[in-house]
Amino acid sequence: MMAVAFKPIIYEDGKGIFHLYPGLCKGCGLCIQKCPVNTIGWSDTLGVFGTPTVEPGHGKPCTACKNCQTVCPDCAILIVPIKDRKNLKES
Amino acid sequence: MATLPQPPMPVVWRSETKPHKFCPGCGHPLVLKALGESIEELGIQDKTVFGCDIGCSLLAWDFFNLDTVQAHHGRVTPVIVGLHRANPRLVGIAYMGDGGGYAIGSQHLVNAATRNEKIMVLLVNNTLYAMTGGQMAPTTLPKQKTETSPYGREPETTGKPTLGPEMIRAIAPDSAYVARGTVSRLPQLKRFIKKGLENVVSGKGFAFIEALSLCPTNWRTNAEETWKFLEQDMHGYFPVGELAPEKGEE
């Protein structure tokens, strides 16, 4: 099996480390609607289809609830709670 | 080179075929995420055969690291039944849309359920024929506008939307597992899929799960209206939950 590596853009916001994979994000915006603190908004970075990707920092601080990660149809978001930063080296 | 954290894809997903072929905001990959995690947790990857139908569901033909077969429209149920009969060790999953399951392939679905075949049917309901541009399907809601019902579906002339799990529950034996989940409650949908797979793996009987899904491309909705259509209109018509057999049968 061929291993494929995706490169994330990493943001820190509130209690979460927000990893966004522009190579997967298609800019559907489903995560924006499901964020309970409205921290997710559109970014200037373009995704795989040339549409805007998303970024945190547009509302209240992230609570690391992972709703966005759950509802992303493309697995383009990974949330790691800041308290679990040590485990991040695993890939 | 330092290793970077990788996307949270189920192990069963084929990462080299990602990004996948589904539209932005499509519900199919959410269903396939729940299915992938269920297969992974049950440890049945090496004996699972995944069959997809015609329609948007066929875009899943290279989605998984699983043996995969793609059948003619509506015929994925008998193909998977045949595979399972030839080799009962296999766990067969027939994956289809509402057009494939309730329209052209309904006779196969009905008969497989009546015979209590030991396969799981996972049917994704997005209320229309999405791949061909959004025509009216058996599941289109009353008053819903589609390419072929531009003034809204009129139940007087076109009937009411098909309630698939209710139909399967009525005809399948008690040992069959029947449920309707939704992509807006993904942990619950995953629980239903896992129970369905366990029903098949243990040899108890048929499993049928309908997943209410999203189609922003053909609904012509933005993200906010997409969730609203699913959670208000679709949940209002299609009750979500498990369908237990009626007491006193068998």
Side-chain angles (χ1 to χ4, degrees):
Chain A
M1 190 182 74
M2 190 170 63
V4 181
F6 294 96
K7 200 177 166 194
I9 301 173
I10 302 172
Y11 307 86
E12 274 196 31
D13 183 58
K15 291 181 183 169
I17 306 172
F18 188 98
H19 299 73
L20 187 278
Y21 298 87
L24 291 172
C25 179
K26 294 176 182 168
C28 67
L30 293 182
C31 53
I32 296 177
Q33 299 300 320
K34 285 291 178 187
C35 178
V37 290
N38 299 316
T39 190
I40 306 175
W42 295 113
S43 157
D44 288 337
T45 308
L46 299 184
V48 64
F49 283 180
T51 48
T53 57
V54 292
E55 62 185 9
H58 291 256
K60 290 180 191 163
C62 173
T63 57
C65 71
K66 300 191 183 183
N67 265 5
C68 51
Q69 181 180 314
T70 305
V71 301
C72 178
D74 295 275
C75 289
I77 299 173
L78 170 70
I79 301 291
V80 179
I82 284 183
K83 62 182 169 64
D84 297 340
R85 191 194 298 267
K86 275 183 276 178
N87 305 333
L88 250 184
K89 283 176 187 161
E90 303 289 326
S91 64
Chain B
M1 194 182 93
T3 50
L4 289 165
Q6 287 301 294
M9 291 180 195
V11 173
V12 190
W13 277 29
R14 257 177 94 183
S15 62
E16 64 267 33
T17 63
K18 306 296 175 291
H20 49 65
K21 297 165 182 64
F22 294 102
C23 297
C26 178
H28 272 283
L30 287 170
V31 179
L32 296 170
K33 196 198 276 192
L35 176 64
E37 287 175 1
S38 304
I39 292 171
E40 189 183 325
E41 286 171 21
L42 292 173
I44 53 171
Q45 184 176 356
D46 60 335
K47 56 178 180 178
T48 299
V49 176
F50 178 78
C52 47
D53 203 49
I54 294 281
C56 288
S57 67
L58 72 79
L59 298 174
W61 66 269
D62 64 351
F63 205 92
F64 290 119
N65 274 317
L66 296 173
D67 288 334
T68 302
V69 61
Q70 198 257 312
H72 289 184
H73 203 189
R75 318 301 172 211
V76 66
T77 310
V79 167
I80 293 294
V81 166
L83 277 164
H84 181 262
R85 285 193 172 196
N87 184 354
R89 191 187 144 269
L90 296 178
V91 180
I93 299 170
Y95 185 74
M96 63 191 76
D98 44 301
Y102 297 151
I104 194 166
S106 60
Q107 78 273 35
H108 300 304
L109 179 62
V110 164
N111 287 300
T114 311
R115 293 194 305 262
N116 206 20
E117 298 286 355
K118 313 290 184 289
I119 64 160
M120 183 174 92
V121 174
L122 182 54
L123 187 146
V124 178
N125 175 358
N126 58 7
T127 73
L128 37 70
Y129 289 91
M131 180 164 268
T132 47
Q135 289 80 13
M136 189 175 75
T139 47
T140 300
L141 295 178
K143 306 293 174 201
Q144 185 182 344
K145 288 180 182 171
T146 67
E147 285 287 305
T148 48
S149 60
Y151 302 108
R153 180 176 185 172
E154 188 47 71
E156 274 294 305
T157 49
T158 58
K160 287 184 177 175
T162 304
L163 293 169
E166 286 78 356
M167 171 178 78
I168 300 298
R169 181 75 277 168
I171 58 172
D174 284 1
S175 57
Y177 178 80
V178 185
R180 180 188 281 118
T182 165
V183 296
S184 79
R185 298 175 201 159
L186 217 58
Q188 182 198 45
L189 176 64
K190 185 176 149 189
R191 206 163 59 240
F192 291 164
I193 292 175
K194 219 168 152 183
K195 278 190 180 176
L197 283 171
E198 281 168 345
N199 208 54
V200 171
V201 172
S202 65
K204 264 180 86 182
F206 188 68
F208 179 74
I209 292 139
E210 180 185 286
L212 302 179
S213 182
L214 310 167
C215 185
T217 303
N218 288 297
W219 294 349
R220 274 85 163 154
T221 49
N222 61 21
E224 187 184 357
E225 291 163 348
T226 302
W227 284 122
K228 205 172 140 196
F229 185 76
L230 173 67
E231 292 169 353
Q232 292 183 11
D233 299 15
M234 286 175 73
H235 287 190
Y237 192 88
F238 301 109
V240 174
E242 291 174 316
L243 284 91
E246 280 186 29
K247 281 178 188 168
E249 280 184 15
E250 287 192 11

